[in-house]
Amino acid sequence: MSETTAARPGRARRTDYRVFETLDTRWGDNDVYGHVNNVACYALFDTAVNRLLIEAGVLDIFAGPVIGLVVETGCRFHASLAFPDRVTAGVRVARVGNSSVRYEIGLFREDEAEAAAEGLFVHVYVDRASRRPTPLPAPLRALVEGWVA
């Protein structure tokens, strides 16, 4: 086993995540190689987290005084996804700061137990008008603290 292989952690499992959102792949998500392009995976991460926040009533993307800006992203790919796969995004929170949250997301193909892709992104919450960091609103903080792994 190479040093690189030995250092690489195993694939996340559904049980490693706190909340879930089901998403559909689209025809246009497939690239020339016949699988979901990495850019589409990042869109699935963003969609899953923001949909969960919107549905919980803690984020108003149109008129809320606080918005989340993505300041860091990352992804590890384990297996291909392809249209017309249905994907379940598992979401957990690794860290809650004063004005930021680090989300970790696993993308699971159909009913598979192991993640096809694992990603992260960090939202820094800012005042909509000034774009300056602002403390997490209490309802948002309470929700994401419940998602801490």
Side-chain angles (χ1 to χ4, degrees), residues 5-126:
T5 304
R8 186 174 180 151
R11 290 165 66 174
R13 301 185 61 78
R14 285 179 190 261
T15 55
D16 296 328
Y17 295 91
R18 301 293 184 253
V19 291
F20 298 88
E21 186 67 37
T22 302
L23 306 164
D24 289 315
T25 56
R26 303 167 305 155
W27 177 258
D29 293 339
N30 285 1
D31 63 18
V32 69
Y33 302 113
H35 62 83
V36 171
N37 186 274
N38 62 328
V39 172
C41 286
Y42 282 97
L44 291 170
F45 297 153
D46 206 3
T47 298
V49 169
N50 283 295
R51 184 181 291 167
L52 287 164
L53 296 174
I54 292 164
E55 289 174 352
V58 298
L59 179 64
D60 178 348
I61 60 172
F62 299 110
V66 174
I67 59 173
L69 300 180
V70 177
V71 299
E72 180 182 356
T73 62
C75 185
R76 178 178 294 124
F77 299 97
H78 300 288
S80 291
L81 298 167
F83 175 82
D85 290 339
R86 175 153 289 149
V87 174
T88 300
V91 178
R92 64 186 178 207
V93 168
R95 183 182 171 281
V96 180
N98 181 53
S99 62
S100 66
V101 178
R102 178 186 163 120
Y103 299 96
E104 296 179 343
I105 306 97
L107 298 181
F108 298 88
R109 182 183 174 277
E110 304 294 341
D111 295 325
E112 291 180 0
E114 293 185 318
E118 296 174 67
L120 69 92
F121 73 83
V122 176
H123 264 159
V124 170
Y125 288 88
V126 301

